[in-house]
Amino acid sequence: MQTIWLGGAEWLAVLRIGLGLWWLESWRHKDRKGWFERGTGIAWAADIAGKHRWGVVRTGFRRVVEPRPKLIAYVVVYAELALGMGLVTGFLTPIALVAGLLLNLLYLVLMIHDWAEQGQNAMMALISLVALFAMAWQTWSLDAALGLFL
């Protein structure tokens, strides 16, 4: 593979780190006090799920999220932090990539009406797939340093 400046594995690491920084930015800009104390994030998602065109989304939200909104708020917010940190440092990278892909797909389904959200989540999912199948943890990662996932 011919590339300019860096080798292929290094460019994949740049892609992985960039995706991690994207997740960290998603975590950083969240109003955590609103999410945890006032339930704003889950209330917003409940409003979207309640109007969703797919019954499975409404039912799934009602069964999984509504009974435990505070727990789900913590899971969502800290999942984004963990994904970002894992991808930036390259620690447990394949797990972070799969988890991030699943979270992006969940966001895609929930936000089916919002094209801006669709674009962001589609791009993040695509980067996750490329990084996963290209094994983007081979360079500049704790996984490589520890000999994990070789």
Side-chain angles (χ1 to χ4, degrees), residues 65-123:
V65 180
E66 281 182 11
R68 52 192 77 78
K70 195 165 196 110
L71 172 66
I72 299 297
Y74 278 93
V75 168
V76 168
V77 171
Y78 286 108
E80 291 181 357
L81 174 62
L83 290 169
M85 290 175 58
L87 293 171
V88 167
T89 63
F91 184 61
L92 302 176
T93 310
I95 296 166
L97 289 168
V98 169
L101 177 62
L102 292 173
L103 192 55
N104 281 127
L105 292 176
L106 183 69
Y107 291 167
L108 271 168
V109 169
L110 180 63
M111 298 301 299
I112 197 100
H113 304 82
D114 187 334
W115 287 105
E117 282 289 323
Q118 292 293 55
Q120 172 179 312
N121 287 297
M123 287 300 98

Side-chain angles (χ1 to χ4, degrees), residues 1-16:
M1 171 188 289
Q2 284 188 300
T3 65
I4 297 172
W5 189 39
L6 300 172
E10 287 87 9
W11 280 119
L12 287 167
V14 169
L15 192 65
R16 181 199 83 229

